[in-house]
Amino acid sequence: MMRKKLMTKPGLSLEWLGSNMTTVGPIIFVIAVVAIFQVINPSFLKYRGIITLVYSMSYFLIAACGLTFVIMTGSFDFSVPNMLKLSALICVLYIEKIGLLVIPLALLVCLGFGFINGLLLAKFKVPSFLATLGVSIVVDGIAWYLSKGHLRIMQDETFRSLATTFIAGFPSILYWGMGVWILSTFLALCTVFGRRTYAVGGNLEGAGLSDINIAWHRIKVFMLSGFLSGLAGVLYMSQMGGGSVKIAADMAIPLFASVVAGGTALTGGVGGPHRTLMGVIIITWIQAGMSMLAIGNDVQMLTFGLIAIGMSIATIDRKRIKIVK
Amino acid sequence: MNDKLLEVKEVYKTFDGVVHALKCVSIEACENEIVGVVGENGAGKSTLMKILVGVYSPDKGEMYHKGKMIPFPRTPKEAAKRGISIVYQENGVIPWLKVYQFLFLGHEDKYIKYMKLQTVRMKEKACEILEELHVACEVEAFMHELPLSTQKMVEIARAILGVRLESEDGDTTPIIILDEPTAPLTDDECKELFRDLLKMKKNASFIFISHIIPEVMEFTDRVHVLRDGNLVAKYDFSKEKMTEEDLFRAIVGRKSSEYISRSEDRGAADEEVVLAAKNLTKSGHFYDVSFDLHKGTCIGFFGPTGSGKSKIIRTIAGLMNYDEGELKARDQELKGDELPHVRLTRGIGYFSGETGKELFLNWSIAKNISIINMEKILGKLIPVIHFNAERKMAENIVQKLEIKAPSVGTDCYSLSGGNKQKVSVGKWLERNPDILLLDDPTIGIDVGAREDIYEVLLEMKKKGISMILVSDEPKEYSILCDKIMFVMDGRIQKVLGPEEFRKVMST
């Protein structure tokens, strides 16, 4: 009876806080971040400040949702930033030749590379860290080859309106981001695909005994990650209106930090895209807030590195890990 | 009779204050002999050995060395000082070290002069000791270049060397514990190893842990039999004549009173064959296994651990490949490289008693039950999980199996062992496969929960689900099975009915 009472009525005690730290922690973190920046820089939460924040987080959220699924299975996808870049560059390079068909082209290319990532892991047993790092570098090479390293400007107005049309006071990229986030959350929590993703991450052996084609499922997860990186790239190009191979160069660590900060542990099986929203807000708002204060890239990277490490320590279930390599 | 070199008396050990791993166990080892310690998995062999080498400390007990009472060691290094060392079953060798480097691993400090390792002296000493122990290998060779049996010998030599370097009085006979040393070896390599071991007997005493009966019979001088944490028997092979079957029965136990038949009338058993194997072979594990599984019946593979019984069931489940033979479910051929999820689509489910393998422990009961029953809780139009249907399905199972939990949303972590097992069975009850493979279905749970699980399994059998059982518990076979195949050394020796089985086991 005692137990039932405790379960139905969680009081706001310290114990409750301790056991729900992965949920409450990020929210407290966001409030703290906003408060600090608001005190230092009073225009942080004015309309223009908010628009900056929205622009900086939306495409990032889409890419992070894809990465979340991969991390939920206990793997990692290093190729997200470079796929995002390749997708963005395909859009700007070929828009004059084939018009808006560049969008499905870019998405298909990223889907394909996602498939290769998954195949390397599931069929050839290459650890995902290595496989996706390799694919990432290949993708980088292709991006250099296609763009020759030049800065390109997006001229097509229809394409640019994808992300920059204002609806109800906010740029449309916010609706894209939130839409993908809601769909990802739905996919993770309410569908067989999502349930199986948690299963593969939580207990690989058990998943194999439970009606799940592990190899094919992992490939599907990497394809989803590739597809969402591609989508993030398309919208990034639409928002920025141009770019070179230098874009998205330092994204890997902030992306990873945002997923982990949200509460999806690297060990897999827990967390989910619904949590990633908070992590993305933490990371991108710190980034934007620092940029508004003209704090340099050096301090920013240092901060993200520390957040990534700190959050890994906080979220990993160490009892389940025997050997770390 | 030789003097007793090492003796432990009345050792007790409990884990978490609940599980009695050892109850009043006494063993002794004399000078220059090989003494066997045998028992099934979970009998307490490893726990006892870990106490001897100082990994665990016992709750109660006494330890004597050459008749003198000494405290139990607290670390492996302390154990080495008293002359006791262990060679573990696996992962003992570091492949990329040279033989002499490996021999002195952890004792290099004895060979340092002016902060420099004296490799020449180490090599000389290594040569000496290998010669003394009749281990034939080059000290400059890499460990991974040696045959497996020689690697084991070098490991044993290292243990003896370690004792000599660490022990307080220089001339104690080392006591070396061998934890299932033959597990990774082939038959020929085993013979090689034992030939060398017999030669080493004059340099050391060995405590030999194993569950492989023939090698215990052949190479040990005396044997202690452990079962469920108790010392159940002691045999001296020089005095008593025994057969392998005698020893096997001592290991698994004869609890004749417990063999009560539960399978009432078998008239309803169908003639329809749902699974047929013909000369199924996986070299090194099992050979020429043939059987027909009829609808609504249960076959058991019975034999000592390591006989290949669990390999057979794992092969049928799709966890292992087979080399030769034929496996057919109804008319479909089951290829060797099919994975478990494909086997499941053909109606073959695999239920393991190891809940860590089977369940998602950080998931709720409801999710664990629904994971293999997804199509029942999906929406007709859009394939979305209906959480209400999921909860109802789980509540139904929880009620039927009397699973004790606050709600179906409770995480499986917090359930007791027996209730976890019931969740595992429950999901298969809901799934209703054609064939259910039972791999030690009641391992590690208490008697009451066992009875409940037998109840459910018998009910499933009545509904027409066919089963194959592999277990360490003889009682289970007589309760569940209609046909028992006795497996030894990877071959089916004889086929028994439940009545015959009961008779054989209770005499």
Side-chain angles (χ1 to χ4, degrees):
Chain A
M1 280 319 283
M2 264 310 281
R3 204 162 167 195
K4 212 164 199 176
K5 237 180 210 167
L6 276 177
M7 286 194 49
T8 46
K9 276 189 192 169
L12 247 176
S13 66
L14 270 177
E15 264 171 62
W16 178 84
L17 209 65
S19 59
N20 289 285
M21 205 53 214
T22 40
T23 314
V24 184
I27 297 173
I28 295 174
F29 205 153
V30 168
I31 294 169
V33 165
V34 170
I36 291 169
F37 280 119
Q38 184 62 24
V39 168
I40 302 173
N41 172 13
S43 64
F44 187 69
L45 280 187
K46 292 220 175 92
Y47 179 68
R48 291 190 60 178
I50 291 176
I51 296 301
T52 314
L53 296 179
V54 163
Y55 270 131
S56 68
M57 69 172 271
S58 296
Y59 74 91
F60 199 90
L61 178 62
I62 295 172
C65 281
L67 183 61
T68 306
F69 279 95
V70 176
I71 294 184
M72 274 158 65
T73 64
S75 301
F76 193 74
D77 192 349
F78 260 116
S79 62
V80 170
N82 280 345
M83 291 229 246
L84 187 153
K85 172 165 77 185
L86 181 64
S87 156
L89 287 176
I90 286 175
C91 289
V92 74
L93 288 169
Y94 301 112
I95 188 107
E96 279 157 30
K97 284 184 198 136
I98 56 172
L100 286 180
L101 277 178
V102 288
I103 298 172
L105 176 69
L107 295 181
L108 268 178
V109 167
C110 291
L111 198 67
F113 278 112
F115 177 77
I116 293 173
N117 275 334
L119 203 67
L120 286 173
L121 170 68
K123 290 286 178 200
F124 295 99
K125 314 280 180 204
V126 184
S128 63
F129 271 87
L130 196 63
T132 57
L133 191 60
V135 167
S136 172
I137 292 168
V138 168
V139 169
D140 198 24
I142 295 172
W144 275 95
Y145 174 77
L146 292 180
S147 71
K148 314 276 188 301
H150 301 311
L151 176 72
R152 297 300 193 96
I153 304 298
M154 171 59 73
Q155 312 280 7
D156 192 300
E157 281 309 314
T158 345
F159 186 84
R160 290 225 49 193
S161 68
L162 264 180
T164 52
T165 317
F166 273 68
I167 303 165
F170 289 106
S172 49
I173 193 162
L174 176 68
Y175 301 102
W176 280 102
M178 295 313 278
V180 167
W181 176 66
I182 291 168
L183 280 178
S184 303
T185 302
F186 180 77
L187 193 64
L189 299 181
C190 304
T191 66
V192 179
F193 177 84
R195 191 59 72 77
R196 289 182 173 174
T197 306
Y198 282 107
V200 168
N203 177 354
L204 195 62
E205 199 177 2
L209 297 172
S210 309
D211 226 354
I212 301 171
N213 185 342
I214 297 173
W216 178 227
H217 193 85
R218 289 175 130 181
I219 291 174
K220 281 198 276 191
V221 167
F222 273 97
M223 283 168 76
L224 177 67
S225 169
F227 179 80
L228 288 181
S229 323
L231 184 62
V234 170
L235 292 169
Y236 179 88
M237 184 46 72
S238 168
Q239 172 185 324
M240 298 297 182
S244 70
V245 287
K246 301 266 167 55
I247 59 173
D250 299 328
M251 244 179 90
I253 286 298
L255 253 180
F256 161 67
S258 67
V259 174
V260 177
T264 304
L266 262 186
T267 31
V270 295
H274 53 297
R275 288 170 173 274
T276 299
L277 179 64
M278 279 296 146
V280 166
I281 289 176
I282 291 172
I283 296 298
T284 57
W285 288 16
I286 288 178
Q287 199 167 21
M290 284 182 164
S291 299
M292 283 184 211
L293 292 173
I295 295 172
N297 215 23
D298 46 356
V299 180
Q300 289 190 18
M301 290 314 283
L302 196 122
T303 315
F304 299 139
L306 290 179
I307 293 177
I309 295 167
M311 284 302 183
S312 302
I313 295 172
T315 53
I316 284 177
D317 184 0
R318 270 171 295 276
K319 272 175 283 174
R320 273 177 46 200
I321 307 175
K322 285 183 189 141
I323 298 172
V324 176
K325 280 192 175 168
Chain B
M1 183 89 194
N2 286 324
D3 290 338
K4 281 177 188 168
L5 184 61
L6 180 80
E7 195 176 3
V8 286
K9 272 187 186 161
E10 294 171 17
V11 175
Y12 288 83
K13 174 75 188 171
T14 54
F15 288 107
D16 310 328
V18 199
V19 188
H20 287 269
L22 292 174
K23 281 171 274 184
C24 198
V25 173
S26 312
I27 66 165
E28 71 281 325
C30 303
E31 293 251 10
N32 306 332
E33 70 166 358
I34 301 179
V35 54
V37 174
V38 296
E40 291 281 89
N41 290 337
K45 295 171 297 192
S46 308
T47 312
L48 183 61
M49 294 308 128
K50 283 183 178 159
I51 286 174
L52 289 184
V53 295
V55 177
Y56 296 151
S57 57
D59 299 344
K60 224 163 77 182
E62 291 166 350
M63 191 172 192
Y64 297 88
H65 188 255
K66 287 186 175 165
K68 208 169 68 202
M69 190 167 152
I70 53 169
F72 280 94
R74 275 164 303 180
T75 60
K77 201 129 191 166
E78 265 186 49
K81 278 187 183 148
R82 283 156 209 178
I84 308 166
S85 187
I86 187 164
V87 174
Y88 286 106
Q89 181 178 358
E90 272 169 352
N91 302 330
V93 168
I94 300 167
W96 289 99
L97 285 185
K98 290 180 176 172
V99 170
Y100 76 92
Q101 290 172 329
F102 180 71
L103 274 175
F104 288 100
L105 190 66
H107 308 293
E108 289 93 345
D109 51 335
K110 306 261 184 324
Y111 288 88
I112 287 175
K113 204 174 182 184
Y114 308 127
M115 297 180 67
K116 193 180 159 294
L117 215 50
Q118 298 190 296
T119 38
V120 180
R121 255 184 69 213
M122 281 166 72
K123 279 180 212 168
E124 280 168 10
K125 180 84 181 145
C127 275
E128 255 171 57
I129 192 149
L130 290 178
E131 203 164 316
E132 183 192 342
L133 299 175
H134 308 282
V135 184
C137 68
E138 280 291 320
V139 290
E140 290 274 14
F142 284 105
M143 287 303 288
H144 68 96
E145 294 171 341
L146 306 176
L148 279 177
S149 62
T150 316
Q151 286 185 18
K152 259 285 147 12
M153 292 311 294
V154 174
E155 271 189 84
I156 295 168
R158 175 172 169 236
I160 293 175
L161 184 70
V163 168
R164 284 190 188 169
L165 289 173
E166 296 293 336
S167 71
E168 280 144 353
D169 51 356
D171 57 332
T172 41
T173 316
I175 300 153
I176 308 299
I177 300 165
L178 305 173
D179 186 6
E180 299 185 20
T182 56
L185 305 183
T186 63
D187 288 354
D188 288 343
E189 287 171 333
C190 279
K191 279 190 195 115
E192 196 104 340
L193 178 69
F194 282 116
R195 224 179 36 230
D196 294 342
L197 262 187
L198 291 177
K199 283 185 206 154
M200 268 196 201
K201 250 168 86 170
K202 65 173 185 292
N203 303 90
S205 299
F206 293 100
I207 298 177
F208 180 73
I209 304 176
S210 181
H211 49 235
I212 301 170
I213 292 165
E215 63 183 39
V216 172
M217 299 282 296
E218 198 174 342
F219 295 103
T220 60
D221 301 299
R222 291 180 309 115
V223 65
H224 295 82
V225 182
L226 293 185
R227 194 200 312 142
D228 300 332
N230 294 302
L231 181 70
V232 291
K234 273 203 282 193
Y235 300 106
D236 191 333
F237 293 131
S238 60
K239 291 179 191 151
E240 292 161 82
K241 276 265 174 266
M242 288 187 77
T243 63
E244 291 184 9
E245 216 170 316
D246 292 337
L247 187 57
F248 176 48
R249 252 190 250 139
I251 291 171
V252 297
R254 13 183 146 166
K255 304 168 193 164
S256 51
S257 60
E258 289 178 34
Y259 295 106
I260 311 144
S261 177
R262 292 275 202 84
S263 23
E264 305 100 25
D265 66 307
R266 288 166 217 273
D270 231 295
E271 282 308 300
E272 191 187 348
V273 175
V274 286
L275 185 75
K278 230 179 182 178
N279 299 330
L280 213 57
T281 296
K282 169 87 184 168
S283 60
H285 297 298
F286 54 83
Y287 305 91
D288 290 330
V289 172
S290 303
F291 60 86
D292 284 339
L293 180 64
H294 295 271
K295 191 172 172 15
T297 64
C298 178
I299 295 183
F301 289 98
F302 182 63
T305 316
S307 60
K309 60 175 180 178
S310 46
K311 295 288 191 303
I312 296 173
I313 201 167
R314 287 174 66 82
T315 302
I316 300 167
L319 289 162
M320 269 176 69
N321 213 329
Y322 58 85
D323 301 337
E324 276 167 58
E326 221 181 44
L327 191 62
K328 266 186 176 175
R330 298 231 155 81
D331 298 326
Q332 294 167 317
E333 195 185 330
L334 303 177
K335 292 207 184 66
D337 54 358
E338 271 178 10
L339 291 171
H341 67 92
V342 185
R343 291 280 155 88
L344 198 53
T345 61
R346 303 188 192 284
I348 301 177
Y350 175 75
F351 169 50
S352 159
E354 284 176 55
T355 39
K357 229 190 234 176
E358 179 96 354
L359 290 180
F360 301 93
L361 291 176
N362 58 346
W363 284 15
S364 64
I365 296 172
K367 279 180 167 183
N368 266 301
I369 289 174
S370 66
I371 185 72
I372 55 168
N373 297 297
M374 277 294 172
E375 62 284 355
K376 290 187 191 164
I377 56 163
L378 288 183
K380 293 270 163 355
L381 286 173
I382 331 160
V384 171
I385 296 170
H386 283 198
F387 292 101
N388 256 334
E390 185 179 33
R391 212 187 56 235
K392 276 205 188 100
M393 182 165 87
E395 272 166 1
N396 191 12
I397 293 287
V398 164
Q399 214 165 35
K400 220 188 245 172
L401 303 189
E402 294 169 355
I403 297 170
K404 288 183 193 68
S407 80
V408 291
T410 310
D411 283 355
C412 286
Y413 258 126
S414 56
L415 299 180
S416 72
N419 281 315
K420 277 183 200 158
Q421 214 91 329
K422 283 187 190 172
V423 174
S424 291
V425 180
K427 70 179 187 187
W428 289 111
L429 181 65
E430 183 67 42
R431 169 88 187 198
N432 204 10
D434 287 347
I435 301 162
L436 186 58
L437 308 173
L438 308 169
D439 189 354
D440 241 334
T442 61
I443 191 169
I445 61 173
D446 59 84
V447 182
R450 277 187 183 191
E451 297 293 315
D452 292 345
I453 283 173
Y454 297 146
E455 215 69 61
V456 182
L457 291 176
L458 284 172
E459 187 197 320
M460 286 164 84
K461 207 172 90 172
K462 228 181 235 168
K463 275 190 350 199
I465 298 175
S466 320
M467 296 178 189
I468 294 179
L469 172 74
V470 161
S471 172
D472 283 341
E473 183 67 49
K475 189 182 153 197
E476 233 153 78
Y477 291 89
S478 62
I479 291 174
L480 295 171
C481 294
D482 304 290
K483 195 157 79 176
I484 292 128
M485 303 198 155
F486 193 78
V487 189
M488 201 79 155
D489 294 333
R491 288 175 194 280
I492 295 177
Q493 307 288 346
K494 39 188 165 177
V495 181
L496 305 169
E499 289 300 325
E500 291 169 85
F501 180 75
R502 220 163 295 137
K503 261 180 225 153
V504 171
M505 289 311 294
S506 48
T507 45

